[in-house]
Amino acid sequence: MAQHSGGAHDAHGSHGHEGGHGSLKSYTIGFLLSIVLTIIPLMVVLNGWLEGTSARVLLIGTAILQFAVQLLFFMHLRDEKGPRYNLMTLIFGLVIVITIVAGSVWIMTNNKMY
């Protein structure tokens, strides 16, 4: 009887991936959190439960939480084992996006024809 050294299984077991894939439980939790964080501001705005500054704070807060859920549960940002190059790239991208959006808003609000 030939002995099986497990070479085929060893070849599949050591792919060298830095981060693992999420489990079904992790994806389900992330999906449910995303649904809840979408429904809350939708219901608040559609039903007029909050207005003005409090509505804006709720919208921005749930947007930030939604962003964190996406990063942690779907982009696996917390699962990195090595240097946080993805995190540094993300922060750099956010700085660029915030600069462009803030600059655009500033230009639009101060673009008055005299």
Side-chain angles (χ1 to χ4, degrees):
M1 181 145 74
Q3 290 201 347
H4 184 63
S5 66
H9 294 292
D10 292 341
H12 291 293
S14 60
H15 286 289
H17 292 292
E18 287 298 315
H21 296 287
S23 65
L24 179 61
K25 180 181 175 183
S26 172
Y27 285 130
T28 304
I29 291 170
F31 179 70
L32 292 175
L33 284 172
S34 294
I35 296 285
V36 168
L37 289 171
T38 301
I39 290 174
I40 289 172
L42 179 68
M43 295 304 292
V44 167
V45 170
L46 288 179
N47 294 321
W49 293 337
L50 294 174
E51 295 178 5
T53 305
S54 56
R56 285 187 204 107
V57 168
L58 178 81
L59 289 172
I60 291 171
T62 53
I64 291 169
L65 288 174
Q66 181 79 264
F67 182 67
V69 166
Q70 298 294 323
L71 287 177
L72 297 176
F73 286 95
F74 300 115
M75 302 289 290
H76 309 291
L77 192 62
R78 65 177 171 207
D79 295 337
E80 288 184 1
K81 291 180 177 54
R84 300 219 176 241
Y85 296 118
N86 289 341
L87 181 60
M88 289 188 296
T89 304
L90 174 70
I91 291 171
F92 179 66
L94 285 174
V95 167
I96 290 174
V97 167
I98 289 170
T99 302
I100 290 172
V101 169
S104 298
V105 169
W106 182 75
I107 288 171
M108 288 187 286
T109 56
N110 293 314
N111 189 18
K112 297 180 181 144
M113 301 295 283
Y114 292 104

